[in-house]
């Protein structure tokens, strides 16, 4: 069996706890003969700052570059609130995304039937929800220059962030969205602010042009603010939702919460397909490092385990193993297992590692 090189970057806060569950799942996949990995580990974020004085070392970046895929936990926390902006924990994650060219961020928002009541919205609005947010990840206001705070003659300050998009950047993310839509329900919505922003005007124009190659897919343009409203009003109207880096950050948090918990959602960040047909890829939960619950065994490992499932599917073509893992998660939830974030009032939650064990039991049962 092919052995894939996987780099694990647990990061900070609950990152190491949820990654420990993924390591158990990796062991189970190996034991079941479903997938084999060569595992490497390194530091990112605050843990790397503590050890090396920066959130990502060149060695860790080189390891990430050499790996077949990367799994990342989460970065950041109050402990590093006062470090210099250039070396804050988040800078490590942004460098990984940028330097590895991971421009396409896929963030599925799926509402598990067993969890429809955990959503802040009414059950009928979210039951069966299955949205794929396609967020541009290496451009826009996150990386545009100038990006600075300068001091004006009167001593007050002026802050600048720059939103930049080129035709090529919009084209490639639009292709990702349309290609995905073909494998789903054939609908794409593209969100921008062309009524206020030049980058929005170009975004809309380029997405419309790329759409000409996809006559089998329908395209709808929506203003990003209206999109946020529609997501809480009638979320099931969307299938694939493509948008820029900043709007994607915001809209994917909204979409995540529709599903009941931020602790449920995985994501994939993919690079361009190279001549050999492979692409760089990093998989991480949508949730953050949740420092308030770190180390307590409260964290939900499902988003991290789901990120491994996405990795099996998108990086290694192991669709069958991914399906087995995804359905093990669904059955575990259906059996009533709940971590604190998704527990119903009056019932008892299980711990992070108990949830991992329950999923592995279901996996072994089905394999
Ligand atoms: C995310 C996070 C990151 C982002 C932070 C941690 C830099 O919010 O992945 O959604 O803003 O992209
Ligand atoms: Mg975010």
């Amino acid at each position: 069996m092919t052995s894939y090189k996987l780099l694990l970057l647990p990061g900070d806060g609950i990152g190491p706890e949820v990654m420990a569950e993924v390591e158990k799942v990796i062991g189970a996949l190996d034991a079941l003969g479903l997938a084999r990995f060569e595992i490497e580990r390194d530091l990112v974020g605050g843990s790397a700052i503590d050890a090396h004085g920066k959130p990502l070392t060149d060695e860790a970046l080189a390891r990430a570059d050499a790996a077949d895929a990367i799994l990342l936990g989460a970065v950041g926390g109050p402990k590093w609130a006062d470090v210099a902006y250039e070396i804050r924990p988040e800078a490590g994650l942004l460098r990984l995304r940028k330097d590895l060219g991971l421009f396409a961020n896929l963030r599925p928002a799926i509402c598990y039937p067993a969890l429809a009541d955990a959503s802040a919205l009414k059950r009928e609005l979210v039951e069966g929800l299955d949205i794929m947010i396609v967020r541009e990840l290496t451009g826009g206001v996150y990386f545009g220059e100038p990006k600075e705070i300068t001091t004006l003659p009167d001593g007050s300050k002026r802050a600048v962030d720059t939103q930049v998009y080129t035709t090529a950047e919009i084209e490639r993310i639009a292709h990702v969205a349309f290609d995905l839509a073909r494998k789903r329900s054939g609908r794409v919505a593209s969100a921008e602010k062309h009524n206020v922003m030049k980058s929005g005007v170009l975004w809309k124009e380029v997405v419309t042009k790329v759409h000409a190659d996809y006559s089998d897919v329908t395209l709808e343009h929506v203003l990003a603010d209206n999109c946020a409203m529609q997501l809480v009003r009638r979320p099931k109207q969307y299938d694939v939702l493509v948008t820029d880096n900043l709007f994607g950050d915001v809209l994917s948090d909204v979409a995540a919460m529709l599903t009941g918990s931020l602790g449920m959602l995985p994501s994939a960040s993919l690079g361009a397909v190279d001549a050999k047909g492979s692409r760089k890829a990093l998989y991480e939960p949508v949730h953050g490092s949740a420092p308030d619950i770190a180390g307590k065994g409260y964290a939900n490992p499902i988003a991290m385990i789901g990120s491994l499932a996405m990795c099996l599917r998108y990086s290694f073509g192991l669709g069958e193993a991914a399906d087995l893992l995804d359905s093990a998660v669904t059955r575990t939830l259906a059996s009533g297992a709940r971590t604190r974030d998704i527990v119903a009032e009056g019932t008892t939650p299980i711990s992070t590692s108990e949830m991992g064990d329950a999923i592995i039991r279901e996996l072994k049962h089905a394999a």
Side-chain angles (χ1 to χ4, degrees), residues 90 93 97 107 135 142 249:
E90 291 76 7
L93 175 58
R97 290 174 179 171
R107 298 194 158 182
R135 170 188 178 195
Y142 273 59
D249 183 41

Side-chain angles (χ1 to χ4, degrees), residues 318-343:
L318 298 170
E320 211 173 305
D323 286 345
L324 280 171
L325 187 51
D326 282 337
S327 62
V329 169
T330 306
R331 282 197 313 282
T332 304
L333 289 170
S335 78
R338 298 283 187 276
T339 41
R340 276 172 190 260
D341 53 318
I342 49 176
V343 81

Side-chain angles (χ1 to χ4, degrees), residues 280-291:
K280 301 239 175 287
L282 178 147
Y283 300 85
E284 59 176 318
V286 172
H287 66 66
S289 61

Side-chain angles (χ1 to χ4, degrees), residues 36 180 202 243 247 251 261-262 264 267 310 319:
R36 181 136 310 152
L180 269 170
L202 185 66
T243 190
F247 293 141
L251 295 176
S261 167
L262 211 46
M264 301 291 299
S267 79
M310 283 190 98

